[in-house]
Amino acid sequence: MSHDLLLKISVVILFLPLLSFLIIVFNQKRLGKAAGIIGTSILGIDLVLAAIVAFNKFVVYPNEAIIQWKFHWFSLGNRTIDLGLGVDNLAAMMLIVVTLISFLVHLFSTEYMSEDKRFPRFFSYLGIFTFSMLGIVLANNLLNMYIFWELVGLSSYLLIGFWYEKDSASNASKKAFITNRVGDLGFFAGIMIAFFTFNTFMFDEIFSQIRSGVLPFESGTILTAMGILLFAGAIGKSAQFPLHVWLPDAMEGPTPVSALIHAATMVAAGVYLTAKIFPVFTADALTFVAYTGAFTAFMAATIGITQNDFKRVLAYSTVSQLGFMVMSLGVGAYTYGFFHLVTHAWFKACLFLASGSVIHAMHHAMHKLHDHHSDPQDIRNMGGLRKTMPKTYLTFLFATIAISGVPLTSGFLSKDGILAGTLAFGNLSGHWLIPAMAFISAGMTAFYMFRLTIVSFFGDFKTEIASKTHENNTQIVLPLVVLAILSLWVFYSFNPIDASSGWFAKAFKPVETVVPAEYQFDFMMPYHDAHATESTEVSHGSHSYLNKFEEELHHQHYTAMFLSLAIAGFGILLSFIFYYYKKVDPDKVANSIKPLYLLSYNKWYIDEIYQKTFIGGTILLTKLMFWIDTYIIDGAVNGVAFIWRIFGTFVGKFDNGVVDGLVNLSGGVVGFSGSIVRKLQTGRVQTYLLLSIIGVILLLWWLF
Amino acid sequence: MTNELTLYLIIGAILFSLGVFGIITRKNAIMVLMSMELILNSANINFIAFAKYGGMNLEGHIAAMFVIILAAAEVAVALAIVLNIYHNFRHVNIDEISKMKE
Amino acid sequence: MSGTFNILGVGILTWITFLPILGMIAILAIPSGKDEISRARSLNYFRYITLGITFIQLILTLVVYSGFNFSMPGINDASSMQFIERVTWISVTGLPMLGDLKIEYFLGIDGISMPMLLLTAIVSTLAVFASWGIKKAAKGYFAMYLLLVTGMMGVFVALDFFLFYVFWELMLLPMYFLIGIWGGPRKEYAAIKFFLYTLFGSVFMLLVMIALYFAVGSFNMFDMMDPSKFDQNSILAGFGTSWRYIAFAALFVGFAIKVPIVPFHTWLPDAHVEAPTAISVILAGVLLKMGTYGMIRIAWPMFPDAVQYFNWWIGLIGMVSIVYGALCALAQFSVGKRDLKKMIAYSSVSHMGYVMLGLAALNTEGVIGAIFQMFNHGTITAMLFMIVGVIYDRAHTRSLDDFGGMANKMPVYTAIMTIAFFAAIGLPGLSGFVSEALVFLGAFKTYPVLTVISGLGIILGAGYMLWALQKVFFGKLPERWSGPWDPTGKIYKNDDINYIELGGLVPLAIVVIYLGINPNPVIGMMTSSVNHFVELIRIGGNFAGM
């Protein structure tokens, strides 16, 4: 397959979901239930095409960095604004992830959403979301990335707010969009710095310019700032602290949506962006990214322990796992960060869809019992679902095992690599806090995931509703099975305890940083650059390493594995002791550490803090501004008008009194004399005659 | 001779003064008209007197004839008006006839 | 094809400009009708004449566009202006003091007027649909409307300063009556405020115009842009003198009031809130652009040295307008009557701030972004005001508190409004994004800090737009709107938006979407002009800050 054909197919892959959107959105009434079939089959075609493209990229062109196509969007006369798309290994893998999960979610939704009155619209939204997400995947430049980034924001807004009659849903969608916008502002500021410096948006051109020594404002600090600002986009989209608050609320959307965008694709976009721009991160930027990820992973894990809403636990687990990925990229374990993105996509989608299956079943059971008040998502209403929903239970259990990092699963492979990376980073840079937080979070992940499983699936039915549930049909179960199978280790590496020998690690070799040596960690500099004179050190034993970090990561592998196994095992064990064997009462433990429990239960009060500070502050500011506008600026205008009116009144008085007075005076004098004279004007001829006679007599008398 | 002329002129003057007095004092339109006739006739007496003694000769007579004819015409018109006024107002008191003024 | 293009021996620009006057005469000649049937018939005549005239005007503008040469810069070069029409209008010789007074009827366009011409033609055609519901004194309304269109078109094609001023003032008069007679409850206040405010601005413009006339000896704009044409004894001769700065500042204030930029903006919310829908559409869609157009056409090329001197302040004003306008728009949710229209009016202030910021960038990206933003704001805000008009006509309220859950009642309307609101937020794929992105990219090169602070406007913009969207469409439908809008079924057959309203909105939505995907048709025609403009200002002002 030629480059040209590959790109053409990629364009088709990109636009097919948009076609699905357009077909469905303009024929909602006509299509009805057929919309689901149309959407699913279009995505099926898309999946096949994506598989073809990915196969070609990995098999035919494995060593070409990127196959891309650039074109002029519009011209500004002396320069042009270019767009384009490209397929590199990352994109090829992501094409599979996005199209497969989107396809499974489409399939799942044909059953899950079948009773919704806006069924066709849901599928049209899924179409536009998939289109936007594929746009991000195929972007080979920052502008494209930003365009589709925002479109993803729009489609997630539409999907989260799909049940807009609920205030909580429409609030959540608004919150998601605006929180993302905050990150996007940083992202766009980074793009502005990049465009200002390099006059291009293309990733490869930016990298090669930095490599040749072009720095923004000729300063490494600004390069760091550019990296962090671009990463701010990822903070928003991948729900990193401090912009993670939208993701748990976004669970108000239908559950397939949660699986599609809040587990597997949209939130992964931030990690994907970070991976794409990985070469431009300086030492400081990497440290920032690593700490952001580590703290997010830790914080979200602590919150996940105490939540009672089925989906909310999963949401915080997502935030935590995203933190892992970001942290992994930050410490330089590029391969494993992306690896975890892929593995997490499968098992988290599986978890979400399984939760959808449970909620669907609970909902039906409630319907049968005419119960409209219970919360179908509260795990305290479940229990014993293992018996009524065995297939869902098994897939869910397997995904839980994977996310907890138990061997023979994909999650073990990727998480193990990440933990080794953090250890290596801690060892080389001295930032030991990062591996510490990482390992604790890994343990907590195992704990709360098993808590969720045990409370909802094991034991006895806690309510009548739970006992009345039953397994869902194929459209719902099939996606679960597919995703659970994909969480097996064999798909990534035949060695179940070390991914580095598998095809995945080979296809996603660590990338070289392009940052000048003075702004980068020594251990991140490629050997052929940093140690050009000591070229003998390039090869160490049987492996050849890109840089010192890779070497160290390899050395830390077994340490990390044993540590993580121990800590995950401990977490799982604890979970069983608390919730399955009930040796210890969790409520008592919670009471003994009340403040910590409340901190976790109330999500570290972050929403409340934001409400009080940012939102409250903004509202106060708007009020102040409007007050200024009304009373000071407009007040000044009206005041000027008022002064002129007073002046006008005064002038009017002057005019009436003095100027007009004089006029009236002369008029008055004339009038007065006239009023005297007019007495003579009787209108009687006789009087006139008499007067004229008198006049004549007087005249005569005067004459003579 | 001059005395006789003076005598005529005095009679004319008396007649004129009576006419003016009548016009000024009378309210009745017909009385006013009659007073006007007196004035005109006083003029006629003067004309005739001047024709006889003052050398006006025929011109004086002709002028007098004119005045008589004009007076007749004037009376005819004026009486018609007065009659109409009487029809309208049921009186001929000139002080109260002020409709035209308004 | 830059030469003349005549119809019946009269130039096409004259046709475009004065065609509405013909329509106005026709409307005035038709009696309003005495009884109900004849009145309804006349009303239809008025509507269709207005629609027909503006539509022909749109066609003629498209003819001009098809013959427009993209590579001719114009700006300060009379020979590369296009579709020139030039005759002596007023010529008096030997006046005391003034000498020879010569005013020309001088029309022509370049890459900066062409987008505005298109915008005016599009918006004034589509706003007729929004005027469909006018019943009160319809004859006067449509006559005034057409007069207004003439004034607006004239401003964008005039190349003689005096002629420009005449059109500028000509447009005030119908606007005053359109707000003052067909407006809302406080229409008199709003109309007078608008009138006096703008008149106040034009006084400054008049003074500078006269000063320039004394310095140059003609009202020709190109002479005024040419430093060699200045009388050396004049106070405006030379470069960088304080008189020139004062003259520029006065001219700037004159135009700034029209834009309007903070702190000269307070007439705008009042005028918008009180004006009838179509007039809000025209006001936001076209009139505001005249201020920034005047700056680009007149103030900037005539005083490049003063632009250099004041540039940072202009950028600052742009930033303040963006953030301040957005905050005031957001304030509509917490204070006052929560008037949807007022919110959109303030959003206009914010969006016109982008234009100022782009102009202050003084580079290709920034200025193209600014002019493109003028065009996009024209189309998008026109949509927003029409949308508010639709709901106001039905519910007779604009308060956000009174709404909710309209998405189920009016799905098509919701879709259109979502497009318009997201366009206003600057969503990629819609035209507003391209212009805002260009403004930011350009402005960042000149003033990075101002630009990043202005970026807050994006977040706040998303805030108020989504808030409004939520308040109107989402949540539960209030009890009072649960029935049909019009139980008699006479005016509104069903609850959703009707075809007349769609006739105004859909073409705009298509323009917004199309230009978001392919901005070339509009950006293409301005590139050579803008590059020439930037060069002119930078060289003319010896712009050292670059």
Side-chain angles (χ1 to χ4, degrees):
Chain A
M1 187 184 277
S2 67
H3 285 187
D4 203 33
L5 186 59
L6 190 124
L7 286 170
K8 273 183 188 151
I9 295 180
S10 307
V11 173
V12 173
I13 294 174
L14 175 61
F15 284 101
L16 269 180
L18 183 67
L19 183 73
S20 157
F21 165 71
L22 292 174
I23 291 175
I24 298 173
V25 84
F26 286 114
N27 301 297
Q28 290 183 32
K29 289 222 177 74
R30 228 165 304 158
L31 286 176
K33 287 281 178 277
I37 298 165
I38 289 177
T40 313
S41 39
I42 285 182
L43 251 295
I45 298 168
D46 224 25
L47 172 62
V48 172
L49 292 177
I52 292 171
V53 167
F55 178 79
N56 273 281
K57 180 70 190 69
F58 287 129
V59 176
V60 185
Y61 308 108
N63 296 319
E64 283 192 44
I66 185 164
I67 299 167
Q68 61 180 344
W69 170 51
K70 301 171 182 174
F71 64 95
H72 298 323
W73 188 20
F74 56 86
S75 161
L76 298 178
N78 50 8
R79 69 169 56 95
T80 55
I81 301 290
D82 295 351
L83 294 180
L85 55 86
V87 181
D88 54 6
N89 284 352
L90 289 179
M93 190 66 224
M94 283 297 283
L95 279 181
I96 300 271
V97 173
V98 173
T99 49
L100 176 57
I101 292 186
S102 180
F103 170 71
L104 293 177
V105 165
H106 270 80
L107 186 63
F108 185 89
S109 307
T110 50
E111 168 63 25
Y112 188 83
M113 297 298 285
S114 58
E115 280 157 27
D116 197 278
K117 58 178 181 281
R118 289 193 291 271
F119 182 81
R121 195 185 296 181
F122 183 75
F123 281 88
S124 70
Y125 288 173
L126 284 184
I128 195 169
F129 172 80
T130 311
F131 163 70
S132 321
M133 190 61 214
L134 289 171
I136 290 184
V137 168
L138 288 171
N140 68 343
N141 62 75
L142 286 169
L143 189 61
N144 253 28
M145 192 75 124
Y146 185 79
I147 288 173
F148 287 105
W149 199 259
E150 290 288 308
L151 286 177
V152 164
L154 166 74
S155 28
S156 76
Y157 172 79
L158 295 173
L159 283 169
I160 297 169
F162 186 75
W163 287 322
Y164 49 71
E165 287 93 345
K166 280 198 294 183
D167 280 339
S168 57
S170 65
N171 279 332
S173 64
K174 189 178 68 185
K175 184 173 175 181
F177 194 87
I178 293 172
T179 316
N180 269 305
R181 267 268 156 142
V182 176
D184 294 352
L185 175 61
F187 186 19
F188 197 73
I191 293 177
M192 287 194 283
I193 296 179
F195 187 70
F196 169 68
T197 316
F198 311 112
N199 269 317
T200 177
F201 297 112
M202 296 293 158
F203 290 128
D204 53 347
E205 290 167 30
I206 291 174
F207 296 161
S208 67
Q209 286 194 46
I210 297 179
R211 198 191 293 275
S212 63
V214 183
L215 296 183
F217 298 97
E218 277 139 34
S219 142
T221 321
I222 304 292
L223 186 64
T224 305
M226 184 182 105
I228 292 178
L229 285 170
L230 290 173
F231 173 66
I235 295 183
K237 203 120 280 178
S238 285
Q240 298 298 294
F241 177 83
L243 298 180
H244 65 280
V245 288
W246 66 271
L247 184 59
D249 287 20
M251 294 303 131
E252 291 295 339
T255 307
V257 170
S258 310
L260 178 60
I261 63 187
H262 306 128
T265 55
M266 171 181 164
V267 289
V271 181
Y272 181 71
L273 169 71
T274 315
K276 278 261 181 188
I277 59 169
F278 182 76
V280 308
F281 288 122
T282 60
D284 294 339
L286 282 175
T287 316
F288 179 84
V289 172
Y291 271 104
T292 308
F295 183 72
T296 308
F298 175 73
M299 180 201 66
T302 60
I303 297 172
I305 289 176
T306 54
Q307 300 304 307
N308 287 323
D309 184 303
F310 204 115
K311 282 176 75 183
R312 241 164 230 273
V313 177
L314 291 180
Y316 278 104
S317 130
T318 306
V319 175
S320 178
Q321 296 305 308
L322 289 166
F324 266 95
M325 297 170 210
V326 168
M327 172 181 66
S328 169
L329 291 171
V331 300
Y334 173 88
T335 309
Y336 295 103
F338 185 68
F339 190 17
H340 197 56
L341 167 60
V342 175
T343 56
H344 173 257
W346 304 137
F347 57 67
K348 188 49 70 64
C350 180
L351 290 172
F352 264 112
L353 290 182
S355 83
S357 172
V358 169
I359 293 163
H360 196 59
M362 290 286 284
H363 208 83
H364 272 275
M366 274 169 59
H367 199 69
K368 252 182 265 167
L369 295 169
H370 303 290
D371 179 353
H372 301 291
H373 305 290
S374 303
D375 183 356
Q377 301 191 13
D378 196 323
I379 53 175
R380 288 168 298 194
N381 293 336
M382 298 174 184
L385 297 182
R386 183 164 56 109
K387 293 163 219 157
T388 53
M389 307 176 69
K391 290 176 201 148
T392 303
Y393 159 70
L394 277 175
T395 52
F396 190 89
L397 180 69
F398 190 73
T400 305
I401 291 172
I403 199 174
S404 307
V406 174
L408 299 183
T409 62
S410 59
F412 170 75
L413 292 176
S414 53
K415 199 176 264 186
D416 180 48
I418 292 173
L419 293 171
T422 59
L423 276 182
F425 186 76
N427 208 4
L428 291 168
S429 68
H431 290 287
W432 281 106
L433 194 56
I434 290 173
M437 282 198 278
F439 277 98
I440 296 170
S441 318
M444 284 193 288
T445 306
F447 175 74
Y448 67 72
M449 283 312 295
F450 270 90
R451 166 181 178 259
L452 183 63
T453 316
I454 294 165
V455 170
S456 45
F457 286 99
F458 287 77
D460 303 322
F461 302 116
K462 292 201 182 64
T463 57
E464 197 192 351
I465 306 167
S467 67
K468 289 278 192 289
T469 54
H470 57 82
E471 187 59 275
N472 290 298
N473 60 19
T474 331
Q475 280 138 296
I476 283 186
V477 175
L478 182 67
L480 298 180
V481 175
V482 172
L483 289 167
I485 291 173
L486 279 172
S487 302
L488 281 169
W489 85 101
V490 285
F491 295 97
Y492 312 96
S493 158
F494 291 116
N495 181 349
I497 55 160
D498 187 4
S500 62
S501 56
W503 73 273
F504 196 95
K506 290 210 169 66
F508 299 94
K509 289 207 178 68
V511 294
E512 289 176 27
T513 177
V514 295
V515 178
E518 65 217 276
Y519 304 118
Q520 185 58 284
F521 290 121
D522 288 338
F523 56 83
M524 293 299 288
M525 292 312 292
Y527 279 135
H528 62 82
D529 276 1
H531 301 277
T533 48
E534 313 157 48
S535 55
T536 47
E537 284 187 40
V538 170
S539 162
H540 292 252
S542 61
H543 292 81
S544 76
Y545 298 107
L546 176 73
N547 53 27
K548 195 149 187 291
F549 176 79
E550 287 301 317
E551 206 179 334
E552 183 68 22
L553 190 149
H554 189 72
H555 292 156
Q556 296 292 346
H557 176 68
Y558 286 102
T559 326
M561 192 174 83
F562 289 123
L563 261 176
S564 74
L565 272 180
I567 209 156
F570 180 66
I572 295 168
L573 186 68
L574 216 57
S575 191
F576 270 90
I577 292 171
F578 270 87
Y579 298 102
Y580 190 74
Y581 300 111
K582 300 203 170 103
K583 299 278 181 219
V584 186
D585 186 2
D587 293 338
K588 270 189 194 147
V589 180
N591 268 325
S592 64
I593 47 165
K594 193 97 187 169
L596 281 177
Y597 173 78
L598 284 178
L599 182 70
S600 163
Y601 187 74
N602 291 311
K603 303 142 199 166
W604 291 41
Y605 299 101
I606 288 172
D607 273 324
E608 285 77 7
I609 293 168
Y610 286 176
Q611 190 67 37
K612 288 253 160 56
T613 53
F614 294 114
I615 297 171
T618 307
I619 288 174
L620 211 64
L621 191 64
T622 63
K623 280 183 181 164
L624 176 72
M625 284 297 165
F626 192 65
W627 185 85
I628 289 176
D629 202 61
T630 316
Y631 292 101
I632 298 191
I633 298 184
D634 207 28
V637 173
N638 285 334
V640 169
F642 183 69
I643 290 169
W644 278 104
R645 249 170 51 206
I646 293 189
F647 185 64
T649 319
F650 175 72
V651 169
K653 290 248 168 72
F654 182 79
D655 207 45
N656 274 336
V658 182
V659 180
D660 223 24
L662 285 175
V663 175
N664 285 343
L665 185 65
S666 54
V669 170
V670 173
F672 180 70
S673 34
S675 67
I676 295 167
V677 176
R678 72 182 289 185
K679 294 265 162 60
L680 300 173
Q681 299 288 338
T682 57
R684 273 159 51 187
V685 189
Q686 287 140 331
T687 322
Y688 300 155
L689 196 58
L690 182 63
L691 285 170
S692 63
I693 287 166
I694 293 168
V696 170
I697 290 167
L698 286 175
L699 195 70
L700 288 176
W701 180 68
W702 181 68
L703 279 176
F704 304 106
Chain B
M1 283 293 282
T2 36
N3 289 344
E4 280 183 41
L5 178 64
T6 314
L7 205 65
Y8 281 112
L9 289 181
I10 287 168
I11 291 170
I14 289 170
L15 210 56
F16 179 83
S17 302
L18 282 173
V20 169
F21 181 78
I23 286 175
I24 292 171
T25 54
R26 294 293 148 176
K27 309 257 182 215
N28 191 314
I30 294 177
M31 297 303 281
V32 173
L33 276 178
M34 286 168 72
S35 304
M36 280 170 69
E37 288 302 309
L38 286 182
I39 291 171
L40 289 173
N41 282 319
S42 77
N44 272 354
I45 288 170
N46 283 11
F47 275 125
I48 300 296
F50 283 120
K52 187 143 194 293
Y53 304 103
M56 259 185 108
N57 300 330
L58 265 176
E59 285 93 338
H61 292 284
I62 290 166
M65 289 301 287
F66 254 120
V67 171
I68 291 167
I69 291 160
L70 277 173
E74 182 230 310
V75 165
V77 173
L79 278 177
I81 290 172
V82 169
L83 200 67
N84 261 322
I85 287 172
Y86 181 77
H87 274 303
N88 271 336
F89 296 94
R90 292 280 145 200
H91 63 77
V92 286
N93 187 343
I94 53 171
D95 275 1
E96 292 169 27
I97 300 165
S98 54
K99 207 146 201 171
M100 296 274 273
K101 207 166 83 182
E102 281 149 15
Chain C
M1 212 178 90
S2 61
T4 48
F5 192 98
N6 293 339
I7 301 170
L8 302 175
V10 177
I12 192 164
L13 291 184
T14 305
W15 273 109
I16 291 176
T17 311
F18 288 102
L19 200 59
I21 294 278
L22 291 181
M24 184 179 99
I25 292 168
I27 285 179
L28 290 177
I30 296 172
S32 291
K34 289 217 162 66
D35 56 281
E36 197 140 304
I37 299 161
S38 65
R39 209 175 290 144
R41 199 173 49 215
S42 307
L43 179 62
N44 263 334
Y45 286 151
F46 299 150
R47 287 164 174 173
Y48 284 109
I49 287 174
T50 314
L51 185 61
I53 292 281
T54 48
F55 188 70
I56 295 168
Q57 199 183 27
L58 177 61
I59 301 283
L60 289 178
T61 313
L62 290 175
V63 169
V64 169
Y65 178 65
S66 68
F68 185 78
N69 184 342
F70 284 17
S71 61
M72 290 171 81
I75 305 289
N76 69 335
D77 176 17
S79 65
S80 62
M81 299 298 292
Q82 306 181 45
F83 298 95
I84 291 175
E85 289 169 40
R86 189 170 191 175
V87 286
T88 304
W89 178 24
I90 301 170
S91 176
V92 191
T93 50
L95 287 175
M97 280 176 68
L98 288 169
D100 297 350
L101 181 70
K102 190 179 165 210
I103 299 167
E104 285 177 305
Y105 178 77
F106 187 7
L107 307 183
I109 54 171
D110 61 8
I112 288 169
S113 357
M114 189 66 235
M116 296 300 109
L117 220 55
L118 267 179
L119 175 69
T120 311
I122 293 171
V123 171
S124 45
T125 306
L126 298 180
V128 179
F129 290 105
S131 308
W132 222 252
I134 296 282
K135 296 237 162 48
K136 170 187 171 189
K139 183 175 181 170
Y141 177 87
F142 286 105
M144 287 289 177
Y145 183 89
L146 287 170
L147 185 62
L148 180 66
V149 175
T150 289
M152 295 188 304
M153 278 292 184
V155 165
F156 292 129
V157 295
L159 292 179
D160 185 280
F161 203 162
F162 192 86
L163 191 63
F164 178 90
Y165 188 79
V166 168
F167 281 122
W168 184 276
E169 296 295 306
L170 175 67
M171 164 225 82
L172 271 187
L173 178 88
M175 205 64 199
Y176 173 75
F177 287 112
L178 285 169
I179 298 175
I181 296 176
W182 289 272
R186 290 175 75 219
K187 56 196 177 189
E188 287 90 357
Y189 172 76
I192 288 179
K193 195 169 179 181
F194 164 78
F195 192 82
L196 289 183
Y197 229 131
T198 353
L199 211 57
F200 176 72
S202 8
V203 170
F204 286 107
M205 195 161 84
L206 184 65
L207 287 176
V208 179
M209 181 173 89
I210 292 168
L212 280 167
Y213 174 75
F214 279 120
V216 176
S218 89
F219 282 111
N220 188 319
M221 285 188 194
F222 301 106
D223 291 348
M224 292 175 174
M225 291 174 199
D226 185 354
S228 65
K229 289 266 167 64
F230 277 69
D231 179 0
Q232 289 313 307
N233 300 321
S234 151
I235 50 169
L236 293 180
F239 268 121
T241 61
S242 47
W243 275 112
R244 280 181 70 86
Y245 293 161
I246 293 169
F248 173 78
L251 208 49
F252 180 78
V253 169
F255 291 128
I257 285 177
K258 199 74 170 198
V259 174
I261 56 178
V262 177
F264 304 115
H265 66 283
T266 55
W267 63 269
L268 187 77
D270 285 316
H272 270 313
V273 168
E274 300 307 326
T277 302
I279 302 310
S280 285
V281 168
I282 295 269
L283 187 61
V286 183
L287 252 67
L288 306 189
K289 312 304 169 298
M290 288 169 39
T292 40
Y293 174 79
M295 291 179 190
I296 299 171
R297 163 74 56 228
I298 293 174
W300 262 239
M302 287 180 193
F303 298 98
D305 47 333
V307 170
Q308 179 200 354
Y309 185 75
F310 286 113
N311 204 36
W312 188 82
W313 293 98
I314 294 167
L316 180 73
I317 287 174
M319 184 210 89
V320 169
S321 291
I322 292 171
V323 177
Y324 183 90
L327 283 173
C328 282
L330 202 51
Q332 300 310 316
F333 296 98
S334 46
V335 293
K337 291 183 194 144
R338 297 165 172 244
D339 191 329
L340 184 57
K341 210 170 177 186
K342 200 162 191 175
M343 185 209 90
I344 292 170
Y346 274 114
S347 85
S348 268
V349 175
S350 180
H351 283 132
M352 291 307 282
Y354 290 109
V355 179
M356 298 309 300
L357 189 68
L359 277 181
L362 224 52
N363 51 29
T364 312
E365 292 90 344
V367 177
I368 287 186
I371 300 173
F372 195 35
Q373 171 76 1
M374 281 157 70
F375 188 91
N376 291 337
H377 178 256
T379 46
I380 294 169
T381 315
M383 276 184 90
L384 294 179
F385 279 113
M386 283 186 194
I387 280 164
V388 178
V390 168
I391 194 107
Y392 182 69
D393 285 347
R394 286 163 172 74
H396 304 291
T397 169
R398 286 189 302 254
S399 174
L400 288 161
D401 292 334
D402 295 339
F403 294 117
M406 291 292 165
N408 287 340
K409 196 175 168 80
M410 312 174 76
V412 179
Y413 178 62
T414 309
I416 295 269
M417 185 157 169
T418 311
I419 292 174
F421 271 41
F422 275 96
I425 293 174
L427 188 83
L430 304 170
S431 60
F433 166 72
V434 182
S435 51
E436 279 178 26
L438 281 175
V439 164
F440 278 128
L441 290 173
F444 187 81
K445 292 188 175 181
T446 314
Y447 302 118
V449 179
L450 289 183
T451 309
V452 172
I453 300 174
S454 305
L456 288 175
I458 301 186
I459 301 174
L460 295 171
Y464 60 74
M465 285 296 178
L466 294 187
W467 207 332
L469 210 54
Q470 184 189 17
K471 285 265 180 198
V472 177
F473 291 115
F474 303 150
K476 295 221 161 44
L477 193 69
E479 196 62 30
R480 59 198 279 212
W481 307 130
S482 54
W485 292 118
D486 182 14
T488 59
K490 264 187 202 150
I491 308 170
Y492 301 116
K493 292 206 170 55
N494 48 32
D495 285 341
D496 212 337
I497 187 166
N498 63 31
Y499 286 108
I500 304 253
E501 291 154 342
L502 279 179
L505 282 164
V506 169
L508 283 174
I510 290 170
V511 168
V512 165
I513 294 173
Y514 183 73
L515 289 180
I517 295 165
N518 178 18
N520 282 307
V522 174
I523 286 187
M525 59 187 159
M526 61 173 91
T527 45
S528 58
S529 288
V530 168
N531 282 311
H532 183 69
F533 173 83
V534 170
E535 212 169 296
L536 173 77
I537 306 292
R538 284 215 211 165
I539 293 169
N542 186 21
F543 198 79
M546 289 293 169

